[in-house]
Amino acid sequence: MRKKRIMIIGPGGSGKTALAAAINGLDGPVKRTQNMVYGEKTLDVPGVYLESPWMHKHIIAAAQDASHVLMLVDQSSCRESYPPGFAKVFRVPVIGVITGSGNKPENDGWCIRQLKKAGIITPCIHINLSDRTGIDELMEQILGNTLRGIPKCPENVGKF
Ligand SMILES: Nc1nc2c(ncn2[C@@H]2O[C@H](COP(=O)(O)OP(=O)(O)OP(=O)(O)O)[C@@H](O)[C@H]2O)c(=O)[nH]1
Ligand SMILES: [Mg+2]
């Protein structure tokens, strides 16, 4: 069986590569991602795959290699990125992650609404990579899902 990874999706510049590096325990500069990058534990999907509707099928196909999907929204820049209900297309647990948390608290409500509209029904996790806020909580949630072995949103399966 192929190794399953944590798939990270989100608009360009929302911190996918930076988060992947944090999960994989890597340090160093991040640059714009052009292709899917298979890391030790992660699958980093370039923002352009989400921003171009005709690329969505590639995200969905790649999710076969995923144990979880992290859907990112950047608090610093409110950008409508997900089609309504997009989370429902995945058969693995989907976790909503708000990056840059604390940078623009006034945008938080918008980010949460955005993720709900995209089909996330569990509480979102707030992270900030500059001080590692929320990373432990995120990993605990992922681990909890993995140990229980059940999708967080079983009622969502196949509805998209
Ligand atoms: N302060 C802060 N900066 C962040 C956070 N997440 C990402 N960044 C910064 O935002 C910039 C863009 O992050 P990337 O990880 O390259 O974004 P990406 O989503 O991979 O973007 P694409 O590869 O273009 O799709 C980098 O300079 C990161 O250091 C965060 O939570 N807090
Ligand atoms: Mg990237």
Side-chain angles (χ1 to χ4, degrees), residues 40-111:
E40 194 201 334
K41 297 180 186 157
T42 53
L43 173 49
D44 180 6
V45 180
V48 67
Y49 280 51
L50 185 65
E51 285 153 8
S52 319
W54 63 92
M55 300 288 272
H56 289 175
K57 58 179 182 289
H58 298 297
I59 300 182
I60 294 162
Q64 291 185 12
D65 293 336
S67 63
H68 295 76
V69 176
L70 306 184
M71 281 177 64
L72 270 52
V73 170
D74 181 13
Q75 199 186 74
S76 323
S77 66
C78 298
R79 245 182 314 152
E80 188 113 25
S81 310
Y82 298 100
F86 193 56
K88 297 175 185 170
V89 82
F90 302 110
R91 291 169 181 274
V92 292
V94 184
I95 300 173
V97 179
I98 297 173
T99 55
S101 175
N103 291 353
K104 286 224 175 146
E106 65 274 23
N107 290 342
D108 201 49
W110 185 92
C111 294

Side-chain angles (χ1 to χ4, degrees), residues 85-153:
F86 193 56
K88 297 175 185 170
V89 82
F90 302 110
R91 291 169 181 274
V92 292
V94 184
I95 300 173
V97 179
I98 297 173
T99 55
S101 175
N103 291 353
K104 286 224 175 146
E106 65 274 23
N107 290 342
D108 201 49
W110 185 92
C111 294
I112 293 169
R113 282 196 299 280
Q114 206 35 223
L115 288 167
K116 276 197 179 146
K117 219 161 77 175
I120 302 278
I121 54 171
T122 48
C124 313
I125 298 201
H126 289 76
I127 67 169
N128 194 314
L129 291 160
S130 37
D131 57 7
R132 288 191 57 89
T133 305
I135 301 290
D136 291 346
E137 191 193 337
L138 176 62
M139 294 318 289
E140 271 165 30
Q141 175 137 355
I142 290 172
L143 203 64
N145 286 166
T146 308
L147 291 177
R148 280 195 294 277
I150 45 165
K152 269 260 163 174
C153 316

